[in-house]
């Protein structure tokens, strides 16, 4: 098979969580451009005529939208059951949905901690187990988590977020250790500082924004579109021998 054909996702169905905007939207569009049909879910995704749906339909691919609050365990299982009943085969799972809540550690309330862990960690485990078990049974599948620089660093005023993203790195390796020999690739992408809703507070703080930008060797904040190529790679046959890796897309931040 030629290298170009290895990137072809025609005939594949990808479930992308947190796809309404930002990195998740760019990932969904990138997968669609590579040939995959998309199942999208976000807490506030419109069930019809969303912007991400329009862009994917324009590219000639199918799109199905769902809404789910991943902090609600019952809603999560109902969502999984509904998707499985309507789409018996999920070839690709992109665990991108996430949330961030900021307060200094001495003021960080239980409610912040519980919500962030539920959305960023617990739901990711459940989704991966429930869709991954069927990939294992078929002997094929691709799973990609969205990690973070805080998979490697502690951050400031986001202890729950840092804990959850550290866990994503460990889950990536844990699932890969069990499933690599069964035809399922489990990897992660760790974004650097990207111009999205999650970093708006940092970009609006002149001191933090300047200190961040001066450390990025690429000299700019990343854009969601920077993730289209990496996600297609990790979801294609081109990455067949990658298991348990956390791919940095950070403008060189971690090498500084």
């Amino acid at each position: 098979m030629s290298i170009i054909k290895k990137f072809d996702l025609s005939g594949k169905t990808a479930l992308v969580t947190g796809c309404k905007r930002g990195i998740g939207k760019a990932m969904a569009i990138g997968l669609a451009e590579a040939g995959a049909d998309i199942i999208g879910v976000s807490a506030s995704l419109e069930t019809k005529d969303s912007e991400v749906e329009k862009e994917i339909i324009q590219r000639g691919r199918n799109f199905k939208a769902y809404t789910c609050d991943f902090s609600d365990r019952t809603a999560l299982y109902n969502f999984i059951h509904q998707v499985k009943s309507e789409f018996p085969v999920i070839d690709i799972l992109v665990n991108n949905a996430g949330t961030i809540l900021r307060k200094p550690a001495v003021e960080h309330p239980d409610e912040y901690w519980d919500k962030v862990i539920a959305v960023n960690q617990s739901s990711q485990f459940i989704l991966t187990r429930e869709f991954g078990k069927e990939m294992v049974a078929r002997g094929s599948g691709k799973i990609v988590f969205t990690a973070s620089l805080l998979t490697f660093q502690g951050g400031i005023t986001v202890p729950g977020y840092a804990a959850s993203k550290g866990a994503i790195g460990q889950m990536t390796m844990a699932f890969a250790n069990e499933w690599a020999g069964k035809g399922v690739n489990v990897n992660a992408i760790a974004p650097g500082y990207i111009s999205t809703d999650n970093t708006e507070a940092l970009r609006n703080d002149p001191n933090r924004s300047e200190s961040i930008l001066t450390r990025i060797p690429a000299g700019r904040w990343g854009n969601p579109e920077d993730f289209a190529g990496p996600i297609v790679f990790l979801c294609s046959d081109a990455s067949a021998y990658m298991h348990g890796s956390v791919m940095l897309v950070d403008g060189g931040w971690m090498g500084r």
Side-chain angles (χ1 to χ4, degrees):
M1 183 186 297
S2 71
I3 188 62
I4 296 300
K5 287 189 178 296
K6 287 186 176 182
F7 285 91
D8 186 6
L9 300 178
S10 297
K12 304 293 186 183
T13 299
L15 170 56
V16 182
T17 72
C19 72
K20 181 175 180 177
R21 61 175 68 88
I23 292 172
K25 179 182 177 183
M27 287 178 168
I29 292 170
L31 292 170
E33 290 183 348
D37 292 324
I38 307 298
I39 302 165
V41 59
S42 293
S44 59
L45 180 65
E46 301 90 339
T47 55
K48 288 186 178 181
D49 298 323
S50 66
E51 289 303 312
V52 64
E53 177 179 7
K54 291 174 184 176
E55 295 209 36
I56 287 169
I57 295 299
Q58 287 173 1
R59 287 159 172 79
R61 307 315 312 163
N62 296 319
F63 183 82
K64 172 68 175 179
Y66 293 91
T67 301
C68 183
D69 177 359
F70 284 172
S71 68
D72 182 332
R73 186 68 59 88
T74 299
L76 174 62
Y77 275 106
N78 288 340
F79 162 72
I80 292 169
H81 175 75
Q82 187 175 4
V83 171
K84 286 187 174 186
S85 67
E86 296 181 12
F87 297 90
V89 176
I90 302 296
D91 302 289
I92 296 163
L93 171 63
V94 180
N95 284 312
N96 173 73
T99 190
I100 188 167
L101 295 171
R102 301 176 185 275
K103 265 190 184 298
V106 295
E107 304 169 11
H108 209 81
D110 291 353
E111 292 78 12
Y112 277 26
W113 175 273
D114 290 344
K115 181 168 184 177
V116 170
I117 295 298
V119 173
N120 294 9
Q121 181 177 336
S122 298
S123 71
Q124 315 276 346
F125 170 76
I126 293 168
L127 287 162
T128 302
R129 182 191 64 205
E130 292 303 308
F131 289 108
K133 66 174 67 172
E134 296 176 356
M135 295 179 181
V136 169
R138 291 194 306 269
S140 67
K142 301 280 187 174
I143 299 172
V144 181
F145 291 93
T146 295
S148 169
L149 292 181
L150 299 197
T151 300
F152 311 99
Q153 301 174 322
I156 300 171
T157 73
V158 288
Y161 185 83
S164 70
K165 291 302 183 177
I168 291 298
Q170 295 302 113
M171 282 199 292
T172 298
M173 293 185 286
F175 279 115
N177 286 343
E178 293 193 37
W179 294 352
K182 299 178 180 179
V184 180
N185 296 78
V186 184
N187 293 289
I189 294 174
Y193 286 95
I194 314 300
S195 295
T196 66
D197 292 350
N198 275 3
T199 61
E200 185 176 5
L202 296 177
R203 287 182 285 114
N204 289 339
D205 181 329
N207 293 328
R208 288 295 308 281
S209 181
E210 182 180 1
S211 68
I212 289 168
L213 192 59
T214 56
R215 177 175 162 165
I216 300 173
R220 67 173 177 88
W221 287 71
N223 298 310
E225 293 73 23
D226 291 320
F227 294 85
I231 193 64
V232 170
F233 170 63
L234 288 179
C235 293
S236 72
D237 287 340
S239 61
Y241 199 56
M242 286 187 68
H243 297 278
S245 295
V246 179
M247 177 190 289
L248 286 160
V249 183
D250 65 348
W253 173 278
M254 286 298 293
R256 189 64 174 259

